[in-house]
Amino acid sequence: MSSQLNRDLENLETKQTTLFDLTFRDSEGRIVIAQMPNLPLLTALAAALLQAVLPSGNLQTALTLVAFGAFFTWAWQELFDGVNYFRRSLGLMGLVSAIALGLHVS
């Protein structure tokens, strides 16, 4: 019985983390590709939708700034606090996109 336990322990110790694990698994071993949207992403989506419906003016300009700031915040959080490399790469792509679109609009 103890020899089986010893072999199981050795198998656990020799298992190495693969690139797939680093890319798609969180710290608990679950595969994480999509998550429920957090507050900055929901704020960015709501502001972008309202901005599309409202006529041009000061309110639309304010909503543009809110949408940009919230999306930038979401991307920054994903880049530095994402649960795996896939989520962090989404944050990097979002950050680059937000900056590129911000430069293009202004």
Side-chain angles (χ1 to χ4, degrees):
M1 182 74 157
S2 67
S3 63
Q4 175 65 30
L5 187 58
N6 288 339
R7 275 185 261 140
D8 289 343
L9 262 172
E10 288 172 9
N11 287 340
L12 268 174
E13 291 174 1
T14 58
K15 184 179 180 193
Q16 295 182 349
T17 304
T18 64
L19 181 60
F20 178 84
D21 292 337
L22 290 173
T23 304
F24 294 108
R25 293 190 190 275
D26 65 0
S27 60
E28 296 175 3
R30 297 176 300 202
I31 294 178
V32 177
I33 295 175
Q35 297 174 314
M36 289 295 294
N38 55 10
L39 184 61
L41 189 57
L42 290 173
T43 304
L45 291 173
L49 287 173
L50 284 174
Q51 174 192 350
V53 196
L54 293 175
S56 61
N58 291 337
L59 187 57
Q60 189 181 32
T61 304
L63 285 172
T64 301
L65 290 174
V66 168
F68 175 80
F71 188 70
F72 188 89
T73 302
W74 169 82
W76 186 266
Q77 286 179 338
E78 282 294 333
L79 179 61
F80 289 103
D81 294 329
V83 296
N84 54 32
Y85 289 163
F86 178 75
R87 300 293 300 177
R88 290 177 184 211
S89 66
L90 281 179
L92 178 63
M93 289 186 290
L95 197 60
V96 169
S97 298
I99 291 170
L101 287 173
L103 290 175
H104 177 71
V105 169
S106 54

